[in-house]
Amino acid sequence: MELRKRVKLSKPQHHLGLSQDAPAAEGCSSNMMWRTERSNTTQEGTAEVSLLGGSGACSGSGILPQWPRRQCVSMATGLLLAGLLALTQAWCVNAIHENLLWFSQLTEVEREISFRTECGLYYSYYKQMLQAPSIQDGLSDLIHDNLTESKRTINLLQRMNIYQEVFLSVLYRLLPIQSYLEPVYFYIYTVFSLQAVYVIALYLTAWLLSGSWLAGTLTGVWYILNRVDTTRVEFTISLRENWSMPFLALQVTAITCYLRPQLTDLQQKVMVWLMYVTTFCFCLTWQFNQFILLVQALIIYTLDCVDFLTTTQVTTLYLVQVSSLLSVWLLQFCNSMILGSLVLSFIVAALFIRHCQSGLKTGSLLVRLGKLLLHSIMVLLLTVTINYLAKKALQLRSDEHIFKFIKSKFALGPTRDFDASLYLCEEAFGLLPFDTLERLGGTLLLYPYILTLLLLSGMVAVAALQNLSRPKGSAEERKGAAEGRVLAIRPDVAYNLLHTLFYGLLAFSTMRMKYIWTGHMCAVAAYGVCGKELWTLLLNNLSCNSKVLLRLVRYAVPLVVIGCLYYKFWPKLMEELSELREFHDPDTVELMTWISTKTPRRAVFAGSMQLLAGIKLCTGRVLTNHPHYEDKDLRERTKQVYQVYARQSPEKVYDILRAIGAEYVVLENSICYERRHRRGCRLRDLLDLANGHIMDGPGENDPDLVPASHPRFCEEIKTDAAAYTALFSRTFQNKTFHVYRVKKKRKKSTKSLSEPSATQ
């Protein structure tokens, strides 16, 4: 805890009855409304400021802070509870993971199969680094990889965000833990430990906003109880978001602390470095970092437009984002996708236009609104121009599938694009389902969150209009933001409000992004319950505001909520933790065992992205394609490989597979006869639409679609017709998988044999 000089104000300002400088007789005031004359602090007294909590001017009783001993006890108690809640979350996800799979009793191949889809691909590089003769050899193999994509040598450290796997593998080699901790447990324990970091970050954010560690406690409890909607780490351990989200939460905590008033120069520098480190770690661990940071840049831009942030704060926050992205760009061997990102183009445009428009923040309300509209249009046009030129110069096409998805999702473009349709047809990329809100309401999280959101939104709107209405030449403008400024709302509160609003909209539009929103939602709701603002306004309207009553409700209500949550959900949590299940996938185990024992070590396999990721992890065989979709050529290759599930001739499929070097192709009944998705979203339907063919089954078809001239390959090859046996030979099959070897040479009679098959 650090002591600072108290600010002694001669003219207290009162806004909406929430002024922090109100007399003690009117009750403890709110942290929300404040006025500071920074240029006079050295002459006019002292102020006490704690990084965790509100200003020392109000400790909840309208008097000076209590004895330092009591403050230390309170701080220690808050930090202890943060650690306990963090450990609880880590223990819960580990217990659920163990109980769902009986992970400790699985064989090695079964454990690796449990890393589904792209999780298996990322974990395979951790395994590959550990199996390398040395760290240098392992890094060299990643930089010059020819196993992930057949007939290609790619730099995996440039293409993928796998530095976390590299770091963990090196750490595991160096630490003396090999004798009692298996590599897989070291990996999953690290990911589960990051969940503990996540809870601590949310806890500190709520504590900083409200000045009470009770808010942090309520945040942690809500996060744990809403585990279904706040994380999915227990069954998608290796997903990039599980690595990056804790760092994003830490970054929000650092920003919240940085935007608090009356920080010393040293504290500001520490916060800037913390923002940089956490932003850097976030960007390094997730390929979608640029889109998340773009939303954050829009938040900063909005706060700048309505005068909630100083010029220095805005520039610093922008430069933190830019420096973090450029640092990752260097570590990823000058990955062009970062330089061509929208967020970099936007930041450059925003800073340039802001510098050119020196008179942007002058004039009456209508004049300033007109200037802001023109300013935003100019920033938007310059952003698009810079981004277009950057992508042209870099010949960048890696992220175009994301923009196709956005255009198709909002009906701004064609919907037959194969790549966009793959995303659109997945539930995770659809709209947020209503049952999510029902679950959040069931844990008493949704209702205080909505109330807090409405209250703060109204206050921010009023404050923004006040800021925009300040006449030119006012005392505050003359002194400048660094010397004196009237603010109707704390900038850290305003930032967190816009953060939850913007990412909430993102979550409603794309369900997968709800995990960014729901964690922070817990902190905002806890701030509303434990902060002074909501209760002061409510008690003032009831004409019964007093310092004793305010303090009572601020501490009693969260304790009651925590008690209700414990009574209602603790038995359910214990029941969930005691539920025992078991991993059971004998068909996949049989397939992986066969590949490992019956095929050459350098054999090349083609198939679905999800299955090939498992083959890479379990067997180390060469792949034709994989789930990391951020590459134009790979997306084209994947679409070609998937023609095995389309209506194509055996000759065409054979030519495709031979062209990419495939020696074996694995067909899955779950895809060939898929029933999980509705008609029009099955993989075979997406391929038919992309090829201009009529879809299977009853239902309407677009008038321009035509019947295919060949039967569906994955079905017809199982008939062992001569046209297929001449090019492919079945080498393995069970209830789920059929593996065919792609013959190296065609037989002369192939063409003549294929004609009858095509007409069947």
Side-chain angles (χ1 to χ4, degrees):
M1 181 167 296
E2 180 171 340
L3 300 179
R4 291 198 60 192
K5 293 187 176 181
R6 178 178 300 279
V7 180
K8 187 176 181 181
L9 301 178
S10 58
K11 294 181 180 181
Q13 299 292 318
H14 305 282
H15 303 283
L16 302 180
L18 297 177
S19 173
Q20 181 169 318
D21 303 308
E26 295 180 13
C28 181
S29 60
S30 167
N31 282 343
M32 182 67 76
M33 308 305 174
W34 55 278
R35 176 187 174 100
T36 172
E37 299 284 348
R38 295 187 182 178
S39 60
N40 299 327
T41 55
T42 57
Q43 292 88 5
E44 298 185 356
T46 62
E48 286 191 37
V49 176
S50 170
L51 288 181
L52 289 174
S55 170
C58 178
S59 62
S61 60
I63 60 176
L64 293 176
Q66 302 301 317
W67 298 104
R69 181 178 178 181
R70 181 173 178 180
Q71 291 178 342
C72 291
V73 171
S74 177
M75 178 77 70
T77 302
L79 294 177
L80 178 62
L81 284 173
L84 289 175
L85 287 169
L87 291 175
T88 300
Q89 169 65 7
W91 173 75
C92 282
V93 294
N94 179 61
I96 292 172
H97 174 258
E98 168 65 23
N99 293 348
L100 284 177
L101 301 175
W102 205 6
F103 195 78
S104 59
Q105 301 300 315
L106 298 180
T107 64
E108 182 179 0
V109 65
E110 288 175 327
R111 288 179 178 178
E112 291 176 346
I113 291 172
S114 70
F115 287 87
R116 298 288 186 179
T117 64
E118 61 186 290
C119 297
L121 182 68
Y122 297 133
Y123 183 78
S124 72
Y125 300 122
Y126 171 73
K127 177 182 176 181
Q128 181 177 324
M129 280 289 296
L130 291 177
Q131 291 178 342
S134 66
I135 295 175
Q136 293 80 1
D137 290 337
L139 288 173
S140 178
D141 290 341
L142 294 180
I143 295 173
H144 307 94
D145 179 87
N146 54 12
L147 300 178
T148 304
E149 296 177 17
S150 58
K151 289 193 172 183
R152 292 177 184 168
T153 299
I154 61 175
N155 185 345
L156 291 170
L157 295 181
Q158 180 188 54
R159 176 81 72 81
M160 303 182 189
N161 297 71
I162 57 170
Y163 269 101
Q164 51 266 50
E165 277 75 23
V166 173
F167 174 76
L168 276 193
S169 63
V170 173
L171 196 61
Y172 185 80
R173 282 174 174 266
L174 298 178
L175 294 176
I177 57 176
Q178 292 88 346
S179 59
Y180 59 86
L181 186 64
E182 298 177 62
V184 65
Y185 278 109
F186 182 66
Y187 187 92
I188 64 177
Y189 287 166
T190 301
V191 178
F192 293 157
S193 298
L194 284 176
Q195 280 291 299
V197 174
Y198 198 172
V199 170
I200 290 175
L202 296 174
Y203 187 105
L204 294 178
T205 299
W207 191 352
L208 285 167
L209 289 173
S210 66
S212 169
W213 50 257
L214 269 178
T217 304
L218 189 55
T219 299
V221 171
W222 265 330
Y223 183 87
I224 294 171
L225 295 182
N226 289 281
R227 179 185 50 79
V228 173
D229 296 301
T230 55
T231 183
R232 50 178 177 167
V233 65
E234 63 269 20
F235 58 90
T236 58
I237 294 174
S238 303
L239 274 190
R240 304 298 84 179
E241 65 190 52
N242 294 329
W243 289 92
S244 62
M245 292 293 293
F247 295 113
L248 180 63
L250 285 173
Q251 184 228 36
V252 172
T253 304
I255 291 176
T256 302
C257 194
Y258 172 72
L259 295 180
R260 287 169 63 82
Q262 300 176 330
L263 293 183
T264 65
D265 291 339
L266 178 60
Q267 289 172 338
Q268 288 182 353
K269 290 178 181 179
V270 171
M271 288 303 111
V272 170
W273 275 105
L274 285 176
M275 287 189 295
Y276 167 75
V277 171
T278 53
T279 307
F280 168 75
C281 292
F282 167 72
C283 294
L284 189 65
T285 52
W286 198 12
Q287 68 269 28
F288 294 141
N289 56 69
Q290 56 166 303
F291 303 102
I292 306 304
L293 290 187
L294 176 61
V295 177
Q296 192 175 71
L298 291 173
I299 295 171
I300 298 169
Y301 175 80
T302 304
L303 293 173
D304 179 33
C305 287
V306 292
D307 288 358
F308 283 119
L309 302 180
T310 66
T311 301
T312 301
Q313 289 172 332
V314 172
T315 305
T316 300
L317 292 172
Y318 279 149
L319 291 182
V320 164
Q321 288 191 333
V322 171
S323 57
S324 301
L325 286 169
L326 292 181
S327 300
V328 173
W329 174 71
L330 289 174
L331 272 180
Q332 289 196 297
F333 296 82
C334 304
N335 187 333
S336 59
M337 191 172 174
I338 295 176
L339 287 186
S341 63
L342 264 178
V343 62
L344 278 183
S345 302
F346 175 80
I347 292 174
V348 171
L351 290 175
F352 178 77
I353 298 296
R354 194 179 194 275
H355 177 74
C356 294
Q357 289 185 307
S358 57
L360 176 65
K361 299 189 176 183
T362 59
S364 63
L365 175 61
L366 292 179
V367 171
R368 288 199 61 179
L369 289 176
K371 287 182 178 181
L372 284 179
L373 179 60
L374 178 62
H375 175 74
S376 300
I377 293 173
M378 293 175 64
V379 170
L380 176 62
L381 292 177
L382 186 57
T383 299
V384 173
T385 302
I386 293 174
N387 192 253
Y388 175 79
L389 294 176
K391 289 186 175 181
K392 282 293 183 182
L394 298 170
Q395 297 182 343
L396 180 63
R397 303 179 67 186
S398 298
D399 58 353
E400 65 180 13
H401 65 298
I402 299 175
F403 296 101
K404 288 181 180 178
F405 161 71
I406 295 174
K407 289 169 59 179
S408 300
K409 185 177 183 66
F410 297 102
L412 301 176
T415 57
R416 285 191 189 175
D417 182 81
F418 179 74
D419 298 326
S421 298
L422 277 179
Y423 286 101
L424 289 170
C425 286
E426 288 298 325
E427 183 182 4
F429 292 93
L431 299 177
L432 187 72
F434 184 74
D435 62 352
T436 301
L437 300 180
E438 291 181 340
R439 288 192 298 270
L440 295 175
T443 57
L444 307 180
L445 170 61
L446 184 64
Y447 308 114
Y449 172 78
I450 293 176
L451 186 60
T452 304
L453 208 60
L454 293 175
L455 173 66
L456 291 181
S457 298
M459 298 173 73
V460 166
V462 171
L465 290 175
Q466 289 178 350
N467 290 343
L468 295 175
S469 301
R470 286 202 310 269
K472 182 178 179 180
S474 65
E476 289 78 10
E477 282 193 319
R478 286 199 307 268
K479 290 179 180 178
E483 296 182 353
R485 191 176 184 180
V486 172
L487 292 178
I489 189 171
R490 279 170 28 208
D492 57 330
V493 174
Y495 172 82
N496 279 274
L497 172 66
L498 292 189
H499 184 98
T500 193
L501 281 175
F502 279 49
Y503 286 106
L505 292 175
L506 184 63
F508 272 92
S509 66
T510 306
M511 188 184 72
R512 182 176 178 179
M513 296 300 168
K514 74 175 180 179
Y515 301 104
I516 302 176
W517 172 58
T518 48
H520 188 259
M521 179 186 185
C522 297
V524 172
Y527 164 61
V529 173
C530 301
K532 302 181 183 73
E533 289 71 30
L534 185 137
W535 294 117
T536 302
L537 184 62
L538 178 62
L539 293 176
N540 281 342
N541 290 332
L542 296 176
S543 300
C544 58
N545 189 17
S546 68
K547 58 184 180 182
V548 176
L549 185 59
L550 175 63
R551 193 173 186 180
L552 177 64
V553 295
R554 282 190 63 220
Y555 296 123
V557 172
L559 289 174
V560 170
V561 172
I562 292 174
C564 291
L565 293 175
Y566 175 84
Y567 176 78
K568 182 178 180 181
F569 291 100
W570 181 257
K572 293 181 180 180
L573 181 61
M574 291 298 99
E575 181 181 355
E576 183 179 8
L577 291 174
S578 63
E579 183 180 0
L580 301 179
R581 298 185 183 181
E582 183 179 358
F583 174 88
H584 185 72
D585 192 356
D587 290 346
T588 305
V589 171
E590 184 183 11
L591 172 67
M592 299 303 174
T593 304
W594 178 84
I595 293 175
S596 298
T597 57
K598 302 297 183 181
T599 63
R601 292 187 59 84
R602 301 287 296 186
V604 181
F605 278 79
S608 69
M609 296 183 290
Q610 297 81 1
L611 179 63
L612 290 184
I615 291 177
K616 172 74 169 63
L617 171 59
C618 298
T619 70
R621 299 306 189 259
V622 184
L623 312 181
T624 57
N625 53 300
H626 53 82
H628 194 273
Y629 220 47
E630 277 63 54
D631 181 75
K632 172 66 176 178
D633 294 333
L634 177 67
R635 292 195 294 271
E636 291 293 336
R637 175 182 280 200
T638 299
K639 182 180 177 181
Q640 291 300 310
V641 170
Y642 279 0
Q643 296 302 315
V644 298
Y645 296 108
R647 291 187 175 97
Q648 299 288 0
S649 66
E651 292 81 10
K652 182 171 183 177
V653 173
Y654 177 88
D655 290 339
I656 290 172
L657 296 177
R658 291 299 300 167
I660 58 178
E663 297 173 324
Y664 294 88
V665 57
V666 184
L667 302 180
E668 302 171 62
N669 290 339
S670 58
I671 298 178
C672 190
Y673 308 106
E674 182 182 0
R675 293 181 177 86
R676 183 168 68 94
H677 290 102
R678 68 181 189 278
R679 184 177 185 269
C681 268
R682 300 169 297 189
L683 179 60
R684 63 179 186 268
D685 296 335
L686 301 182
L687 292 165
D688 289 341
L689 290 173
N691 296 335
H693 297 158
I694 293 175
M695 295 182 290
D696 285 341
E700 297 182 356
N701 290 282
D702 292 338
D704 60 325
L705 298 178
V706 298
S709 57
H710 299 280
R712 195 167 300 282
F713 179 86
C714 64
E715 297 176 355
E716 196 66 17
I717 192 174
K718 297 170 186 175
T719 64
D720 292 332
Y724 294 87
T725 56
L727 304 175
F728 305 93
S729 60
R730 184 186 289 114
T731 55
F732 173 87
Q733 75 176 66
N734 59 24
K735 294 184 297 182
T736 305
F737 305 103
H738 294 257
V739 182
Y740 293 86
R741 185 171 60 84
V742 183
K743 296 184 177 180
K744 293 186 177 181
K745 293 183 180 180
R746 295 194 190 189
K747 294 184 179 181
K748 294 182 180 180
S749 58
T750 296
K751 185 175 180 180
S752 59
L753 291 172
S754 65
E755 294 174 355
S757 174
T759 60
Q760 289 178 359

Coordinates of all heavy atoms in Angstrom, one line a residue, residues 2 40 48 77 116 123 142 218 239 295 298 317 346 421 457 509 522 557 561 583 655 667 690 713 722:
E2 N 0.5 2.2 -0.8 CA 1.3 3.4 -0.9 C 0.5 4.6 -0.5 O -0.7 4.8 -0.8 CB 1.7 3.6 -2.3 CG 2.6 4.9 -2.5 CD 3.2 5.0 -3.9 OE1 3.3 3.9 -4.5 OE2 3.6 6.0 -4.3
N40 N -2.3 21.6 -8.0 CA -2.2 22.2 -6.7 C -2.0 21.1 -5.6 O -2.1 21.5 -4.4 CB -3.5 22.9 -6.4 CG -3.7 24.1 -7.4 OD1 -2.7 24.6 -7.9 ND2 -4.9 24.4 -7.7
E48 N -4.5 9.8 0.3 CA -4.0 8.4 0.4 C -4.7 7.7 -0.7 O -5.9 7.7 -0.9 CB -4.4 7.8 1.7 CG -3.5 8.3 2.9 CD -3.8 7.5 4.1 OE1 -3.9 6.3 3.9 OE2 -3.8 8.0 5.2
T77 N -6.2 -10.4 3.8 CA -7.4 -11.3 3.7 C -7.9 -11.3 2.2 O -8.3 -12.4 1.8 CB -8.6 -10.7 4.6 OG1 -8.1 -10.6 5.9 CG2 -9.8 -11.6 4.5
R116 N -8.8 -33.8 -28.7 CA -9.6 -33.8 -30.0 C -9.2 -32.7 -30.9 O -8.8 -31.6 -30.5 CB -11.1 -33.7 -29.6 CG -11.6 -34.9 -28.8 CD -11.7 -36.1 -29.6 NE -12.3 -37.2 -28.9 CZ -12.6 -38.4 -29.4 NH1 -12.2 -38.7 -30.6 NH2 -13.1 -39.4 -28.6
Y123 N -0.8 -30.1 -29.3 CA 0.0 -30.9 -28.3 C 1.0 -31.8 -29.0 O 2.0 -32.1 -28.4 CB -1.0 -31.8 -27.6 CG -0.4 -32.7 -26.5 CD1 0.0 -32.1 -25.3 CD2 -0.1 -34.0 -26.7 CE1 0.6 -32.9 -24.3 CE2 0.6 -34.8 -25.8 CZ 0.9 -34.2 -24.6 OH 1.5 -35.0 -23.6
L142 N 10.9 -27.7 -36.1 CA 9.7 -26.9 -36.1 C 9.9 -25.8 -37.2 O 8.9 -25.5 -37.9 CB 9.4 -26.3 -34.8 CG 9.0 -27.2 -33.6 CD1 8.8 -26.4 -32.4 CD2 7.8 -28.0 -34.0
L218 N -17.0 -12.4 -4.8 CA -18.2 -12.7 -5.5 C -17.9 -13.0 -6.9 O -18.5 -13.9 -7.6 CB -19.2 -11.5 -5.4 CG -20.6 -11.7 -5.9 CD1 -21.3 -12.9 -5.2 CD2 -21.4 -10.4 -5.7
L239 N -6.6 -25.7 -26.7 CA -7.1 -24.6 -27.5 C -6.3 -23.3 -27.2 O -6.1 -23.0 -26.0 CB -8.6 -24.4 -27.3 CG -9.6 -25.2 -28.1 CD1 -11.0 -24.7 -27.9 CD2 -9.2 -25.2 -29.6
V295 N -11.3 -4.8 -31.3 CA -12.4 -4.4 -30.4 C -11.9 -3.5 -29.3 O -12.5 -2.4 -29.0 CB -13.1 -5.6 -29.9 CG1 -14.3 -5.2 -29.0 CG2 -13.7 -6.4 -31.0
L298 N -11.2 0.0 -30.6 CA -12.4 0.7 -30.7 C -12.9 1.3 -29.4 O -13.5 2.4 -29.4 CB -13.4 -0.2 -31.4 CG -13.2 -0.6 -32.9 CD1 -14.2 -1.6 -33.3 CD2 -13.2 0.6 -33.8
L317 N -1.9 3.6 -24.6 CA -2.7 2.4 -24.8 C -2.5 1.9 -26.2 O -2.4 0.7 -26.5 CB -4.2 2.6 -24.4 CG -4.5 2.8 -23.0 CD1 -5.9 3.2 -22.8 CD2 -4.2 1.5 -22.2
F346 N -5.9 0.4 -38.1 CA -6.8 1.3 -37.4 C -6.1 2.3 -36.5 O -6.3 3.5 -36.4 CB -7.9 0.5 -36.6 CG -8.8 1.4 -35.8 CD1 -9.8 2.1 -36.3 CD2 -8.5 1.5 -34.4 CE1 -10.6 2.9 -35.5 CE2 -9.3 2.3 -33.6 CZ -10.4 3.0 -34.1
S421 N -18.9 -21.3 -45.1 CA -20.0 -22.2 -44.7 C -19.5 -23.2 -43.6 O -20.3 -23.5 -42.7 CB -20.5 -23.0 -45.9 OG -21.0 -22.1 -46.9
S457 N -24.4 2.8 -17.9 CA -24.6 3.4 -19.3 C -25.2 4.7 -19.2 O -24.8 5.7 -19.9 CB -25.4 2.4 -20.1 OG -24.8 1.2 -20.2
S509 N -23.2 -12.1 -31.1 CA -23.1 -12.4 -32.5 C -22.4 -13.7 -32.8 O -22.7 -14.4 -33.8 CB -22.3 -11.3 -33.2 OG -21.0 -11.2 -32.8
C522 N -18.7 -11.3 -14.8 CA -18.7 -11.6 -13.3 C -18.2 -10.4 -12.6 O -18.7 -10.0 -11.5 CB -17.9 -12.8 -13.0 SG -18.6 -14.3 -13.8
V557 N -25.3 -7.3 1.4 CA -25.9 -7.8 0.2 C -25.0 -8.9 -0.5 O -25.4 -10.0 -0.8 CB -26.3 -6.7 -0.8 CG1 -26.7 -7.3 -2.1 CG2 -27.4 -5.9 -0.2
V561 N -25.8 -12.8 -1.0 CA -25.7 -13.5 -2.3 C -24.8 -14.7 -2.3 O -25.1 -15.8 -2.8 CB -25.2 -12.5 -3.4 CG1 -25.0 -13.2 -4.7 CG2 -26.3 -11.4 -3.6
F583 N -13.5 -42.8 -20.6 CA -13.2 -42.6 -22.0 C -13.4 -44.0 -22.7 O -12.9 -45.0 -22.3 CB -11.7 -42.2 -22.2 CG -11.3 -42.1 -23.6 CD1 -11.4 -41.0 -24.4 CD2 -10.6 -43.2 -24.2 CE1 -11.0 -41.0 -25.7 CE2 -10.2 -43.2 -25.5 CZ -10.4 -42.1 -26.3
D655 N -6.4 -38.4 -58.8 CA -5.5 -37.3 -59.2 C -5.2 -36.3 -58.1 O -4.1 -35.8 -58.0 CB -6.0 -36.6 -60.5 CG -6.0 -37.5 -61.7 OD1 -5.2 -38.5 -61.7 OD2 -6.7 -37.3 -62.7
L667 N -11.5 -42.7 -44.7 CA -12.9 -42.2 -44.8 C -13.6 -42.5 -43.5 O -13.5 -43.6 -42.9 CB -13.6 -43.0 -46.0 CG -12.9 -42.8 -47.3 CD1 -13.6 -43.6 -48.4 CD2 -12.8 -41.3 -47.7
A690 N -20.7 -26.2 -53.3 CA -19.5 -25.5 -53.8 C -19.2 -26.1 -55.3 O -18.7 -25.3 -56.1 CB -18.3 -25.8 -52.9
F713 N -18.4 -40.5 -53.8 CA -17.2 -41.3 -53.7 C -17.1 -42.1 -52.5 O -16.8 -43.3 -52.6 CB -15.9 -40.4 -53.8 CG -14.6 -41.1 -53.8 CD1 -14.1 -41.7 -55.0 CD2 -13.9 -41.3 -52.6 CE1 -12.9 -42.4 -54.9 CE2 -12.7 -42.0 -52.6 CZ -12.2 -42.5 -53.7
A722 N -15.0 -52.1 -60.0 CA -13.7 -52.2 -60.7 C -13.0 -50.9 -60.9 O -11.7 -50.7 -60.8 CB -13.9 -52.9 -62.0

